[in-house]
Amino acid sequence: KLGRMLLPYALISLLISSFWLPLWPAVLVLAAQAGIYGAALADPILPDRSLLKRISSPARTFVVLMAAATAALAIFFVPAGKLWRPAAQPERARGVNQPTGSVP
């Protein structure tokens, strides 16, 4: 579980550190990352029957899950009152102890 939470930050550090690689490895690594993220961005506009959709859909799923893992860490730094609010109770549930008149 910890790995899932840290993976987005590992990918961000991979992206940043790619700029300090020698020229050709940097080009290959950055091109691969740009291809994956580009496929994820292109996924919503690709037709469902497209062969590219088979590549872009898993890429988009991966990117969305990484974004969700990044957002999930907010629970440790944001007060609970900003993330959740009490659920509204339906009218019927509030008057549970009140007689309805249908039962003698």
Side-chain angles (χ1 to χ4, degrees):
K1 290 183 179 184
L2 181 63
R4 275 188 302 194
M5 300 304 263
L6 295 178
L7 185 58
Y9 299 101
L11 293 174
I12 291 169
S13 62
L14 176 69
L15 176 67
I16 292 170
S17 65
S18 298
F19 291 103
W20 281 275
L21 289 173
L23 180 64
W24 285 109
V27 169
L28 292 174
V29 171
L30 289 170
Q33 290 179 29
I36 296 295
Y37 296 129
L41 284 173
D43 184 65
I45 59 172
L46 290 174
D48 288 338
R49 301 283 183 193
S50 171
L51 290 176
L52 290 176
K53 190 77 163 182
R54 290 182 177 218
I55 297 169
S56 67
S57 183
R60 181 180 180 195
T61 301
F62 180 77
V63 170
V64 168
L65 289 174
M66 291 301 103
T70 304
L73 285 179
I75 195 169
F76 296 118
F77 304 108
V78 177
K82 290 192 174 194
L83 296 175
W84 292 283
R85 59 186 168 134
Q89 294 182 354
E91 292 294 324
R92 183 173 276 171
R94 287 188 203 148
V96 171
N97 294 331
Q98 297 176 353
T100 58
S102 62
V103 179

